[in-house]
Amino acid sequence: MAKSSVLGYPRIGKRRELKRAVEAYWAGTLGAAELAAAGRDIRRANWETQRAAGIDLIPCNDFSYYDQVLDTVCLTGLVPARFGQPGDVVDLPTYFAMARGATDTPALELTKWFDTNYHYLVPEFDAGPPRLASTKPFDELAEATAVLGRAAKPVLIGPVSFLLLGKHHTRSLADHLRDLLPVYAEVLARLAAGGAEWVQIDEPTLVQDRTPEELALYREAYTYLGNLPDRPRLMLQTYFEALDGNWDTVVGLPVEGIGLDFVREVRPPTNLDLVNRHGFPADKVLGAGVVNGRNIWRTNLVSAFSTLEQLAQRVDPDRIWVQPSCSLLHLPYDVDLETALAPEIKQLLAFAEQRLEELVVLTRGLNEGRSAIQDALEADAALFQAALDSDRIHHAPTRQRVAALTERDFQRSAPFAERITAQQEHLRLPRYPTTTIGSFPQTPEVRATRAKWRKGHLSDAEYQAFIRTQIAEVIRRQEAIGLDVLVHGEFERTDMVEYFAAQLAGFAVTEHGWVQSYGSRAVRPPIIYGNVYRPAPMTVEIIRYAQSLTDKPVKGMLTGPVTILNWSFPREDLPRREIAFQIALALRDEVQDLEAAGIRVIQIDEPALREGLPLRREDWQEYLDWAVRAFRLASSGVADRTQIHSHMCYSEFNDIIDAIEALDADVISIENSRSNAELLQAFTDHRYSRHIGPGVYDVHSARVPSTAEIVALLERASQVLDPSQIWVNPDCGLKTRGNAEVWPSLEHMVEAARAMRARMA
Ligand code: GLN
Ligand code: ZN
């Protein structure tokens, strides 16, 4: 019999119960026992939902209080020394200290999980040696067995991916691996003793480019684990792309199952091509990921079933597990929680809970034949046809506008060297001009007032008036401390993507569509279901108001097309490039309206530009080409004297610096204060000609930097950049900080800029 299997389930709780519990625990208002109970409730609900849906292989150990890579750090005892000497088992305070840092003890680094918007904590391999230091997988297996009345399928991060995702390796990767493997052996033996028949071991790094030396690591690891006497069967799980050149290595490993992603097709050969070309080992189970774990559209059952039928010609159907393409962690819980979505859109959506039904139907089809699920297939085909006919999705003028674009639409009318002269005359800024990235602290008062308005306890007019008082106050204070280019503070925005999505046609926003981003933070990505256009100006009125309060330039503040796309769930019937251009055109109109309203500086943020990079390097250029063009399309419709800024919050852009330059933004601000060395390297290797504000103050910390520190950063930047190019600004927006630390920090920043100017005079 073919089986249905899930690789991982969302774990934040249907109503974000985990967020509330974890944050209350941090605040000291919830005890460890209550936190544990909250976790147990979520796990139980997840298991029961999956059992009720009829899933055969239900995962356990896919839960996490914060992050599954951090859980693996605990499992292997790799707690860096700065967190003190952990006991036999890593305790909860140490766990959260590694996640969030403690006084004078920086947290583990947080970074993107492949090309998703999930972030994991980076293991540090100079801690150690590894040892078994957590009982989490065993405890959760026992708990699942008690709830389900049968064993669940424990999920582990594989040793090689764990190693490759880490940093601070002190010896060869092979040496580190040899230390890790006995810990994994112990874990597998204990899971077998706990009744696990199968263990899913995730090695997503197998879908990336790997050197021969790295491929040897997988061979060593799985030869060792495969030959252990007491172990459960192993499902080696890959996801996010095809195995491509790593295929031969993977099919040769002594494991009982291999899980592949049959949804994501970046470029040939897809995993289906590979199975068709090479067949599949007869002694292994194929985990067939045919429903999408990363996007929210209902599976086209007809085409997913046809993939399964093709696979069943190569693989004994009894050895097929019908799976999502990856963990369902990247999806919201349940479409049925949405009450405000238009029915035509809602019927096309599948969140995690709806994916379960799809898996069960497809599995039944495989076991009982196509005719057994004929009704479902037909209903599905009709649904997709109706959707394609819907007016909601089609807005012909948008398609026509994109089709009619010419090279001139991507270009400003003069080169930077000429524009900057016109801008300097228009803006009359001093050297080392000071500014901020856009948002100011969203105080409890701002949040409470918004909540009141949402609940209808405050009228629109009252809310608007409140936002205006906030803007007036922040303009006044920025003027008072002597900043040069001001911002309106973004008090009206909760999220830099959702704010625009809610105003653009072609987007739907959800009420409960939360997806974990990191730790207790979840985001609600908007859904792009149709052609995107701008029914009305979005920010003009509020920016015009802010500008009316001061003679200094106030920045128009927009989120860029690439970031809006990358942080949304996109439609799949159009290339991403074309969706990006549609968004860019809507923003272009907004940019031109801002300019016409007298706004002299317009910032278009692209913090998600880099994370959109494909997993394999050979695909980078194609992405960067259209991403850069989308930004240029949004930004290039203004006069020379209008200054375009962009902001990106990362500093590792050595490898994409040509693309950054190609954006042709007049000024970029970037994160820097925590990684000054990398920045200096980038600009030593590559002469950057436009203006740039390397962040001089770390907004992720509550610390107030001294004037001297900021001067030192500016001095170092002045060694690789010309002083006339340098702007002075924080690393990122100030939204999550408090006013108590923000204002003194900004005062020091302004003083530092003045000191630099005085030196030049
Ligand atoms: N303008 C945004 C802000 O200041 C930028 C946020 C970001 O880079 N993520 O909040
Ligand atoms: Zn930022």
Side-chain angles (χ1 to χ4, degrees), residues 711-724:
V711 166
L713 283 169
L714 290 172
E715 278 171 346
R716 266 175 285 154
S718 308
Q719 286 161 9
V720 288
L721 294 160
D722 191 274
S724 68

Side-chain angles (χ1 to χ4, degrees), residues 8 164 194 206 233-234 276 286 412 430 464 535 585 600 603 616 649 683 711 730 733 758:
L164 292 173
L206 278 167
R233 284 189 261 181
L234 298 179
N276 280 330
L286 171 63
R412 292 194 65 178
Q464 300 304 345
L585 280 171
R600 288 165 281 173
Q603 179 173 312
R616 303 226 188 209
C649 14
F683 293 109
V711 166

Side-chain angles (χ1 to χ4, degrees), residues 437-439 490 496 557 567 603 605 607 647 649 732-735:
I437 305 303
S439 57
E490 302 182 24
M496 63 187 291
M557 193 58 66
W567 287 350
Q603 179 173 312
D605 294 328
H647 166 70
C649 14
C732 193
L734 304 166
K735 178 164 77 181

Side-chain angles (χ1 to χ4, degrees), residues 98-284:
M98 286 193 284
R100 309 171 66 222
T103 325
D104 295 327
T105 313
L108 301 187
E109 186 192 334
L110 190 68
T111 199
K112 291 265 160 191
W113 179 244
F114 298 85
D115 59 348
T116 71
N117 196 16
Y118 178 79
H119 302 68
Y120 73 94
L121 289 157
V122 180
E124 296 176 14
F125 279 86
D126 53 0
R131 64 185 174 93
L132 182 60
S134 158
T135 59
K136 177 177 182 289
F138 323 126
D139 300 342
E140 284 186 22
L141 175 61
E143 200 182 304
T145 309
V147 170
L148 295 170
R150 60 182 155 107
K153 174 187 63 168
V155 180
L156 300 173
I157 292 177
V160 183
S161 291
F162 182 57
L163 196 57
L164 292 173
L165 292 171
K167 64 176 188 183
H168 298 338
H169 301 100
T170 52
R171 291 166 300 135
S172 74
L173 292 177
D175 283 343
H176 281 293
L177 182 66
R178 277 165 210 146
D179 290 346
L180 272 179
L181 288 174
V183 181
Y184 273 80
E186 206 176 332
V187 172
L188 291 178
R190 284 188 61 175
L191 290 173
E197 191 191 337
W198 282 92
V199 166
Q200 171 186 318
I201 199 157
D202 287 0
E203 291 283 10
T205 49
L206 278 167
V207 306
Q208 295 169 304
D209 301 317
R210 297 271 74 111
T211 62
E213 294 73 34
E214 288 166 346
L215 288 175
L217 298 174
Y218 299 96
R219 274 195 293 273
E220 169 153 3
Y222 289 93
T223 305
Y224 173 94
L225 297 177
N227 287 319
L228 292 171
D230 314 312
R231 65 165 179 92
R233 284 189 261 181
L234 298 179
M235 168 55 83
L236 180 69
Q237 184 63 50
T238 69
Y239 39 83
F240 296 151
E241 249 186 65
L243 289 184
D244 205 344
N246 303 332
W247 173 268
D248 289 338
T249 303
V250 174
V251 294
L253 299 174
V255 292
E256 287 68 36
I258 296 172
L260 302 174
D261 181 336
F262 290 99
V263 171
R264 196 102 178 275
E265 298 188 342
V266 178
R267 122 191 64 72
T270 63
N271 278 328
L272 187 59
D273 295 336
L274 290 165
V275 173
N276 280 330
R277 191 180 300 168
H278 303 288
F280 188 78
D283 60 339
K284 298 195 201 312

